[in-house]
Amino acid sequence: MAGFENYQDATRDIELEIERMGVALGIDWSNEAQVRALAHEALTESTDLVRQAAADPADQQLGAKVTLFGLANLMLRTMEESANVGLETHGGPIWKTFGRALWAEAALRRTEG
């Protein structure tokens, strides 16, 4: 990515939205199994969920999940981009919990694929 990016501000903004979607979906961020299952779903089923949400825009739960999965993608890209310029991106507890689960699922997919 060209130019200056404020990764700390982006991290804060993304994490705040992840937290909001978590509240809407009733996610217990301290439940490792629930967060890992959510990360798995984010990496494997997001395309299908986007189609479902487009077909039923009134389904707020589905919309929140699609938003959360989009934020997960943005979160991973932010971490990758900052690492590429030599910066480590650190968020708060929800960022770290979800990030660990996403990285673990991504690594599992690479070894299985």
Side-chain angles (χ1 to χ4, degrees), residues 20-27 34 38 60-62 64-66 68:
R20 288 177 177 155
M21 294 305 108
V23 168
L25 294 167
I27 297 168
Q34 182 185 25
L38 188 67
Q60 293 180 344
Q61 288 288 102
L62 188 56
K65 190 172 272 193
V66 168
L68 178 63

Side-chain angles (χ1 to χ4, degrees), residues 8-23:
Q8 287 308 107
D9 283 350
T11 300
R12 227 179 351 267
D13 293 344
I14 295 166
E15 185 172 25
L16 179 59
E17 289 304 313
I18 288 172
E19 186 174 356
R20 288 177 177 155
M21 294 305 108
V23 168

Side-chain angles (χ1 to χ4, degrees), residues 22-68:
V23 168
L25 294 167
I27 297 168
D28 176 2
W29 295 106
S30 66
N31 182 329
E32 189 175 325
Q34 182 185 25
V35 176
R36 184 68 185 259
L38 188 67
H40 175 80
E41 188 178 6
L43 295 176
T44 60
E45 300 178 28
S46 59
T47 303
D48 290 337
L49 289 175
V50 169
R51 286 188 194 113
Q52 290 173 23
D56 187 4
D59 187 337
Q60 293 180 344
Q61 288 288 102
L62 188 56
K65 190 172 272 193
V66 168
T67 299
L68 178 63

